[in-house]
Amino acid sequence: MKIKILIPAILLASFFLTISFNGCSNNNEELGVGPVKEVKLDMGKIDDKMSASGKTIFEQKCVSCHKIDEKLIGPPLKGVTKRRKPEWIMNMILNPEGMVKENQAAASLFAEYKVPMVSQNLTQDEARNVLEYFRSVDK
């Protein structure tokens, strides 16, 4: 009789543990940790206006640590849109501290470069423009 009660209790407990460790996490390794859950891209076309705005933002806020083709304080960014999903890139821009704490790829970059990426307090629209600039570079 005790076994009949124990088995459902174990199954129920394992279900709640699975949800608490997996289902409620905001960390999807490919998408990253942050406010961006989905980015819809026109895969065949770059938005030139967004890209130009993103380039301006990149030149104002990012070039002290990043270059496109070479390592500086942070990693080179050429090819980033081929290595990472758009959501991951935007979440890294918008939430670098959270990404390093909860995303393995971001933590690995921090371990390699030894300098944390500092939030530049961009809006989601600004981060999307920077993403479009990276897409234009990687085209």
Side-chain angles (χ1 to χ4, degrees), residues 10 30 54 85 98 107-108:
I10 291 171
E30 290 186 345
K85 291 194 174 280
S108 294

Side-chain angles (χ1 to χ4, degrees), residues 11-128:
L11 291 174
L12 188 60
S14 68
F15 170 75
F16 283 112
L17 285 172
T18 301
I19 288 175
S20 66
F21 287 117
N22 297 325
C24 294
S25 173
N26 288 329
N27 185 10
N28 176 321
E29 197 59 37
E30 290 186 345
L31 303 181
V33 178
V36 180
K37 306 301 180 211
E38 182 180 22
V39 178
K40 294 192 187 251
L41 301 175
D42 182 350
M43 296 310 288
K45 185 178 179 206
I46 300 294
D47 184 313
D48 293 330
K49 185 177 177 184
M50 287 175 69
S51 177
S53 175
K55 181 177 182 182
T56 299
I57 294 165
F58 180 80
E59 290 172 346
Q60 291 172 347
K61 300 201 176 235
C62 308
V63 295
S64 60
C65 295
H66 293 281
K67 292 192 180 270
I68 295 296
D69 290 320
E70 61 188 83
K71 179 179 174 180
L72 194 57
I73 293 169
L77 294 170
K78 186 168 189 157
V80 71
T81 63
K82 297 181 187 315
R83 295 187 304 273
R84 305 277 184 232
K85 291 194 174 280
E87 295 84 358
W88 190 98
I89 295 167
M90 288 182 63
N91 282 324
M92 189 67 189
I93 292 168
L94 296 169
N95 184 31
E97 297 88 2
M99 286 285 286
V100 168
K101 287 179 186 174
E102 298 183 43
N103 183 271
Q104 184 57 50
S108 294
L109 286 170
F110 175 67
E112 180 180 349
Y113 287 89
K114 312 279 191 257
V115 177
M117 184 169 149
V118 177
S119 174
Q120 298 299 311
N121 297 313
L122 299 182
T123 66
Q124 282 193 38
D125 288 339
E126 290 170 325
R128 176 63 182 87

